[in-house]
Amino acid sequence: MAKKQELAVSPSYSGRTHWKSKEATQKWIFILIATVPAFGGYILFTLYPNLLSVYYALLDWNGIREPRFVGFNNFIAMVEDPFVWRALKNNILYGAIVPPLVIVISIVLAYILVYKNYRMNRIYKVLFFFPNVLSVVAVALLWAFVYDGSFGILNASLKLIGIDMAGYYWLGEKKTALWAIIPPTVWWAVGFYFVIFMNAMVGIPKSLYEAAILEGASHRQRLVQITFPLMMPIIRVSAIFLMLSMFKGFENILILTNGGPSGSTDVIGLYMFNIAFGTGSHNYGYASAIGMFLFVILVLAKLIIDRLTAGRDAEY
């Protein structure tokens, strides 16, 4: 009788065990399918080239002839290269102005649309985000037309209010070229961070603002004393991403000025690009050494941002 019961129970038990083992197998298969392609792509197209550039930085190589090992000569030449330090100076100025402007403008616009019930709020949201839909190339070409000396919109607008610039080309003068690159960058980046900050503000309890209103706080006080502290983690991450893009990105500068005039708009990323792929030289070893220098700068920039924003978070 006991043997018959064992025979009756055994098949169902083994079937249940088989089903559980099959479920675990399917789970691992799903995890592998979901993660391996992305992780493999990261290793192949990001991690491996970055590690390879460390090796290239020790070589004298133009991509065609046999590479020659030169040790730290590329780094020594980089320290003695005045064009590197000129590009770094432009980068620091560029990176010190654009991220704060983008963050402040994005937060103010987000605050206005979240806490001011305008009729055309939806249209404003689309208009503010629209520049971010455009490619960097399209934005650069659009602003090149704005700054044109002969038929640019900027000179025409100034002439309407009695200021005749006499064909002044804003991107062709050393005094104004770098400053002229800042508005296109801010205009293009604000839309993306505006959406991020607006979604973050929606999550802040309205009771905090209601209590502040009862105490007589103005919009500026509410923005500075409530919104900024509660959004500090998001602001910190946004500042880091903006700083990274300011030091790594150079597409708009490449199209607008290509580093000119006389290197007044040259930045580290653009200088590295021209060293590696420019018409004058193809020195991949030296460009890789500059890339290592850029990596150190980005790490330091991240640490500085963390230090400046440390201890300013608020909770509710």
Side-chain angles (χ1 to χ4, degrees):
M1 187 68 179
K3 289 183 178 180
K4 288 182 179 181
Q5 288 179 350
E6 288 178 1
L7 291 173
V9 173
S10 179
S12 62
Y13 178 77
S14 62
R16 195 159 53 245
T17 304
H18 174 69
W19 179 81
K20 288 183 178 180
S21 63
K22 186 177 180 180
E23 182 185 23
T25 303
Q26 291 176 346
K27 176 182 176 182
W28 280 107
I29 291 174
F30 173 77
I31 292 174
L32 291 174
I33 292 175
T35 59
V36 167
F39 190 62
Y42 171 77
I43 293 175
L44 183 62
F45 297 109
T46 303
L47 186 60
Y48 175 70
N50 287 338
L51 294 177
L52 201 61
S53 64
V54 178
Y55 170 67
Y56 286 158
L58 306 175
L59 303 177
D60 178 14
W61 184 46
N62 64 356
I64 299 176
R65 60 175 171 77
E66 190 69 22
R68 182 170 61 89
F69 184 81
V70 294
F72 292 99
N73 287 354
N74 286 327
F75 294 96
I76 296 173
M78 182 185 65
V79 173
E80 298 174 349
D81 188 351
F83 299 114
V84 170
W85 301 108
R86 181 185 63 185
L88 178 60
K89 183 188 71 173
N90 293 335
N91 242 139
I92 292 174
L93 179 63
Y94 191 53
I97 295 175
V98 173
L101 279 177
V102 171
I103 290 173
V104 171
I105 294 173
S106 300
I107 290 179
V108 171
L109 291 177
Y111 181 87
I112 291 173
L113 291 191
V114 170
Y115 298 107
K116 294 280 190 178
N117 295 321
Y118 294 119
R119 287 184 183 178
M120 301 176 67
N121 265 11
R122 294 183 179 178
I123 297 177
Y124 290 144
K125 292 175 184 178
V126 174
L127 289 176
F128 294 155
F129 185 73
F130 177 73
N132 200 257
V133 177
L134 302 175
S135 66
V136 178
V137 176
V139 172
L141 292 175
L142 175 65
W143 280 85
F145 171 75
V146 171
Y147 289 132
D148 189 89
S150 301
F151 49 83
I153 297 175
L154 180 57
N155 283 351
S157 301
L158 291 174
K159 193 171 184 178
L160 288 176
I161 60 175
I163 303 175
D164 190 0
M165 299 303 296
Y168 186 84
Y169 187 50
W170 297 83
L171 296 174
E173 297 291 335
K174 293 177 64 174
K175 295 184 294 184
T176 58
L178 185 60
W179 299 102
I181 289 173
I182 293 174
T185 308
V186 174
W187 183 73
W188 181 76
V190 159
F192 178 76
Y193 292 96
F194 155 77
V195 173
I196 292 176
F197 294 145
M198 187 173 63
N199 291 328
M201 286 180 191
V202 172
I204 299 176
K206 293 183 179 179
S207 58
L208 297 175
Y209 293 101
E210 292 171 356
I213 292 172
L214 291 175
E215 293 179 4
S218 63
H219 279 291
R220 184 184 61 83
Q221 290 172 327
R222 280 175 264 166
L223 181 63
V224 173
Q225 298 179 12
I226 297 177
T227 307
F228 269 103
L230 291 177
M231 291 179 56
M232 189 53 66
I234 299 172
I235 293 174
R236 182 186 300 116
V237 174
S238 300
I240 291 172
F241 277 107
L242 277 167
M243 189 63 68
L244 293 178
S245 63
M246 291 305 102
F247 275 92
K248 291 173 61 179
F250 58 87
E251 298 90 345
N252 58 336
I253 299 177
L254 176 65
I255 297 168
L256 286 170
T257 63
N258 195 22
S262 302
S264 59
T265 60
D266 203 7
V267 291
I268 290 289
L270 180 59
Y271 185 62
M272 177 178 64
F273 174 82
N274 286 328
I275 289 293
F277 306 105
T279 56
S281 64
H282 295 279
N283 193 336
Y284 294 130
Y286 188 41
S288 297
I290 297 175
M292 295 298 99
F293 179 53
L294 180 59
F295 171 76
V296 173
I297 293 173
L298 295 178
V299 172
L300 291 176
K302 194 268 181 186
L303 295 176
I304 290 172
I305 293 173
D306 287 342
R307 184 65 180 269
L308 292 176
T309 58
R312 299 191 178 185
D313 299 355
E315 297 181 358
Y316 54 86

